[in-house]
Amino acid sequence: MTRVWRRVLDRELPVAVHAEGAWIETADGSRYLDGAGGAIVVNVGHGDGALLEAMRTQAERVQYVHGTMFTTAALETYAEEVADLLPIDQARIYPVSGGSEAVETALKMARAYHLARADDDRSVVLARETSYHGNTLGALDASGKLPLRAPYAPWLGRAVHVPAAYPYRVPMSGKQHADATERAIEEIGASRVAAFIAEPVAGATLGAAVPDDDYWPAVVEVCNRHGVLVIADEVMTGFGRTGRWFGVDHWGVRPDLLTAGKGSTSGYVPFGFAAASGQVFETIASAGGFVHGFTWSHNGLGAAVGSAVIARLRDGLLDRCVVLGERLRKELDAAIGEDPNVGEIRGLGLMIGIELVADRRSKRPFARADHVTERVVAAARDQGLLVYSSTGHVDGTDGDLVMLGPPFCMTDEDVATLAERTAIAVRSTT
Ligand code: PLP
């Protein structure tokens, strides 16, 4: 009996006692290869000395001060450093405690921006089907992940969803996506749309689906033309995960707003931020400011770790992500690329998705009752491998996806182990 309301209620959870590099050890002496960095979070790796030192140093200086009363050197330094890396002009960052808060903050920034320009009718959020932006109500409303929305449907319904950028099952060109986005904007009424939010590369909900190269430039052009702010949700793709600093860097587009979380501190401290362009910031600031705030926002500890993460990525880990990503893809392709139940292996950098199907030619998904994803995850766990997963993406019920997103500090041997155990898990259950 436990007093913890655990995330998982149908099985006992092992007790994690130590983590180092790409491995997690449990109280019973087992070792798990962290093939997904938890939920694609631990970019740098576990037990990194530089990150731990940054935490210790900042915790000894200042533990907590309120964002309306103080700033800290750690936060000011971090903002300077990250602003130089962000694909945003004259960026300003608003630090929060995680991805959902970052998304809520960015949505409110978009609304505040339009209000500041006396464009009061702009409130509608445009998002994509089969997307994920968080579990708080505003972020969930933007999310197109049906199984997560279903229980809370009475509280949702303001956001409008356009097709997912998912070439495997949604064969639309960038131009067709842009046209669909424009049609949605016109149907809602261009003067009512506040923002378009999307993941640069789809996260777990679509297993690292990568849009075609003409997608982002075309969609951003339509949004710009209609005065709709573009929010790049980089909570999963940010901080090197796709082999570039940020996902949109692959296509050279510059959003108005951007959200970050997960990899920003590699999971060492709950942290994230919403970033706005200088123009968005100045507009809101000059009209009286931003009505928003959280007790834990503007946290110096998260900022200090964030600076250490940037230093580690600069120090070779970002390059290592590219090299290891290519190697892992090659090994997976060789091992299970032709497996009759592997529909597609996709992704960028060390953000890799494996879509499992009952029939490769027709792309027919397994029936949900077969619990294929759950069996693959369990088979991986039995071999000491942790993977991330998602179900229901095809129609809200069926659809099986497994995701890999390991730490960038993996050794060559870890990569081989990861590919080998993933292949065994996939083969053993399909
Ligand atoms: N946005 C994206 C793209 C995500 O992948 C996630 C989490 O998986 C979130 C937002 C929500 O982040 P958090 O779980 O930190 O609230």
Side-chain angles (χ1 to χ4, degrees), residues 97-127:
S97 302
S100 299
E101 281 188 7
V103 168
E104 299 288 343
T105 302
L107 295 176
K108 282 193 182 176
M109 283 174 172
R111 172 71 181 151
Y113 170 77
H114 295 303
L115 283 178
R117 293 165 51 257
D119 211 349
D120 295 18
D121 283 348
R122 288 193 187 262
S123 65
V124 178
V125 173
L126 203 55

Side-chain angles (χ1 to χ4, degrees), residues 18-34:
H18 182 74
E20 195 149 348
W23 294 84
I24 299 171
E25 289 170 33
T26 54
D28 64 2
S30 304
R31 289 181 83 232
Y32 294 88
L33 177 56
D34 194 5

Side-chain angles (χ1 to χ4, degrees), residues 267-300:
Y268 285 52
V269 180
F271 191 69
F273 59 78
S277 69
Q279 196 235 335
V280 168
F281 168 78
E282 294 296 345
T283 304
I284 295 171
S286 61
F290 186 32
V291 183
H292 188 55
F294 298 114
T295 297
W296 303 113
S297 78
H298 298 77
N299 183 281

